[in-house]
Amino acid sequence: MSLTHQLSTSMISSSSSAFLAPSSFNSRTQNVSVPTSKRMGTCKCVVTPQEQMTAYKTKVSRNANMAKLQAGYLFPEIARRRAAHMLKYPDAQVISLGIGDTTEPIPQVITSAMAKRAHALSTIEGYSGYGAEQGEKPLRAAIAKTFYGDLGIEEDDIFVSDGAKCDISRLQVVFGSNVTMAVQDPSYPAYVDSSVIMGQTEHFQKEFEKYQNIEYMRCNPENGFFPDLSTTGRTDIIFFCSPNNPTGSCATREQLTQLVQFAKNNGSIIVYDSAYAMYISDDNPRSIFEIPGAKEVAIETSSFSKYAGFTGVRLGWTVVPKQLLFSNGFPVAKDFNRIVCTCFNGSSNIAQAGGLACLSPEGLEAMLEVIGFYKENTKIIVDTFTSLGFNVYGGKNAPYVWVHFPGQSSWDVFSQILEKTHVVTTPGSGFGPGGEGFIRVSAFGHRDNILEACKRFKQLYK
């Protein structure tokens, strides 16, 4: 029996900074005096307009697809606004519940294994250089057994990587520029941005806040955060995340069965992001491969980032079943393997030692304890906004809380909360047009910060 069938409700029992300071130099000063001495006369320096410099330009054209991207990537933009706020209020205690970065220490059973591997590298017996691009066999076997033990996924179906986000882009390289794609709306920005960069889309339509040639599958409270597939157009690729980032919603077995059948009927490939699967505390599927027939139409990507605090360590995996074939019968896994071997030298052997420790009995217990801590944080946030009369979604099976502010701009709400409470959240519109009117509040934070942030929310909205 795999771990995915053993998790239950018993599981419930960041920051970036910029040191910015205003300069004390007055740019309007015209004269600079230098003290005189017997050996030195008086020197008068006059500021003159800078000469107009013409920058050298190469003859290489910019990738036109890069010019299609809108503004900055969501999370660096939030970090920029956070830094500006800290400059404006240098004495404020800013609490970051925006970017989904973990805050609690990595369990010692895991770091000890990484330290042991690191020290071994300084010995003749323990040194290792390049490893297999697909990942070390013991780790691939442990992932297969732990997460997919009874689902027909084998060790060589698994590709270990430096994170799910990186694999999303590698998969886009496999698919190329001539495919069409669909995303949940709202959804993790990397799906859309990687599609734009690959040239799969046309230009951004400002009036609709959408890119042409992308099928936006609206997911909202009215449809239970699962798209109406009867009105969804056919695409080659379908990106789907459950539990969902940002809404925190989790697809049911019936819904995923519909999705797999939809993909089969249309000859599509599902890229299923299960990066938060260990947060599920009910009977909903933790892997797309729990659904019959999924191995013929789906790829699954996942990560240790939000399970073991590996956001900085960088370790994840992607499952590409042998049964998944392109229209000409060629295995998708073989092309993905070629991309991995061409663009990647394999995950750090130190990180992989940590991953193997994560999947030991002691490591699994430690990860579940950390996940349980974050789920308690989530409950505190949900209870706070619910008590204030807001419609609140997510939280039960994910470390994200999706709060509705009807009739208001997401960025305006983000700015209001930051200005008046010094708490960083994430504007829902940053995840797509379907996120307008919502904010995402992350449960990744120290308990004292979570409690303090909720106290501030109550003072603002009481």
Side-chain angles (χ1 to χ4, degrees), residues 13 67 111 116 121 144 146 173-174 177 180 196 212 214 251 288 300 321 359 374 388 394 404 451 455:
S13 358
T111 56
K116 182 178 179 181
L121 293 173
T146 303
V173 174
V174 171
S177 60
T180 54
V196 174
Q212 293 173 298
I214 289 183
I288 191 67
E300 182 166 306
L359 302 183
Y374 289 131
L388 293 169
H404 196 198
L451 293 172
K455 177 183 176 182

Side-chain angles (χ1 to χ4, degrees), residues 47-265:
V47 176
T48 59
Q50 288 187 331
E51 295 182 10
Q52 294 296 321
M53 300 295 292
T54 302
Y56 172 80
K57 295 183 292 185
T58 70
K59 295 182 180 180
V60 180
S61 298
R62 185 189 181 199
N63 178 354
N65 296 316
M66 297 298 296
K68 297 177 185 176
L69 293 170
Q70 296 299 298
Y73 187 68
L74 174 62
F75 299 113
E77 174 62 18
I78 290 173
R80 185 192 68 78
R81 296 191 184 208
R82 179 184 186 275
H85 183 79
M86 292 176 68
L87 185 62
K88 182 179 179 181
Y89 300 101
D91 297 325
Q93 181 196 356
V94 177
I95 299 174
S96 289
L97 303 181
I99 183 171
D101 194 3
T102 51
T103 58
E104 301 312 293
I106 299 173
Q108 189 171 358
V109 64
I110 299 168
T111 56
S112 295
M114 290 192 284
K116 182 178 179 181
R117 184 68 176 271
H119 286 301
L121 293 173
S122 64
T123 68
I124 293 293
E125 299 78 15
Y127 177 76
S128 60
Y130 289 125
E133 291 91 345
Q134 303 82 3
E136 296 178 351
K137 279 184 171 293
L139 178 56
R140 297 171 79 190
I143 291 171
K145 179 181 178 182
T146 303
F147 296 103
Y148 310 101
D150 53 357
L151 302 178
I153 297 299
E154 300 175 352
E155 168 191 321
D156 56 356
D157 294 324
I158 293 170
F159 296 81
V160 177
S161 72
D162 51 348
K165 183 178 181 180
C166 304
D167 276 344
I168 288 166
S169 292
R170 293 186 188 109
L171 286 167
Q172 291 281 35
V173 174
V174 171
F175 300 141
S177 60
N178 293 324
V179 297
T180 54
M181 59 94 73
V183 295
Q184 291 161 286
D185 178 26
S187 68
Y188 184 45
Y191 310 143
V192 170
D193 281 9
S194 61
S195 180
V196 174
I197 292 169
M198 281 301 300
Q200 298 167 1
T201 73
E202 296 297 330
H203 290 284
F204 188 74
Q205 297 174 298
K206 187 65 179 176
E207 64 272 29
F208 303 113
E209 295 293 316
K210 296 179 179 180
Y211 285 95
Q212 293 173 298
N213 284 15
I214 289 183
E215 180 76 18
Y216 288 81
M217 304 184 296
R218 182 60 61 93
C219 298
N220 52 37
E222 288 69 34
N223 60 20
F225 295 101
F226 187 80
D228 182 357
L229 298 179
S230 67
T231 62
T232 300
R234 188 247 171 226
T235 60
D236 296 310
I237 311 299
I238 303 169
F239 279 94
F240 197 91
C241 179
S242 180
N244 180 263
N245 177 13
T247 67
S249 61
C250 188
T252 66
R253 192 171 304 275
E254 179 184 0
Q255 289 171 335
L256 290 182
T257 299
Q258 293 176 27
L259 181 65
V260 168
Q261 190 58 53
F262 178 77
K264 281 198 168 186
N265 292 343

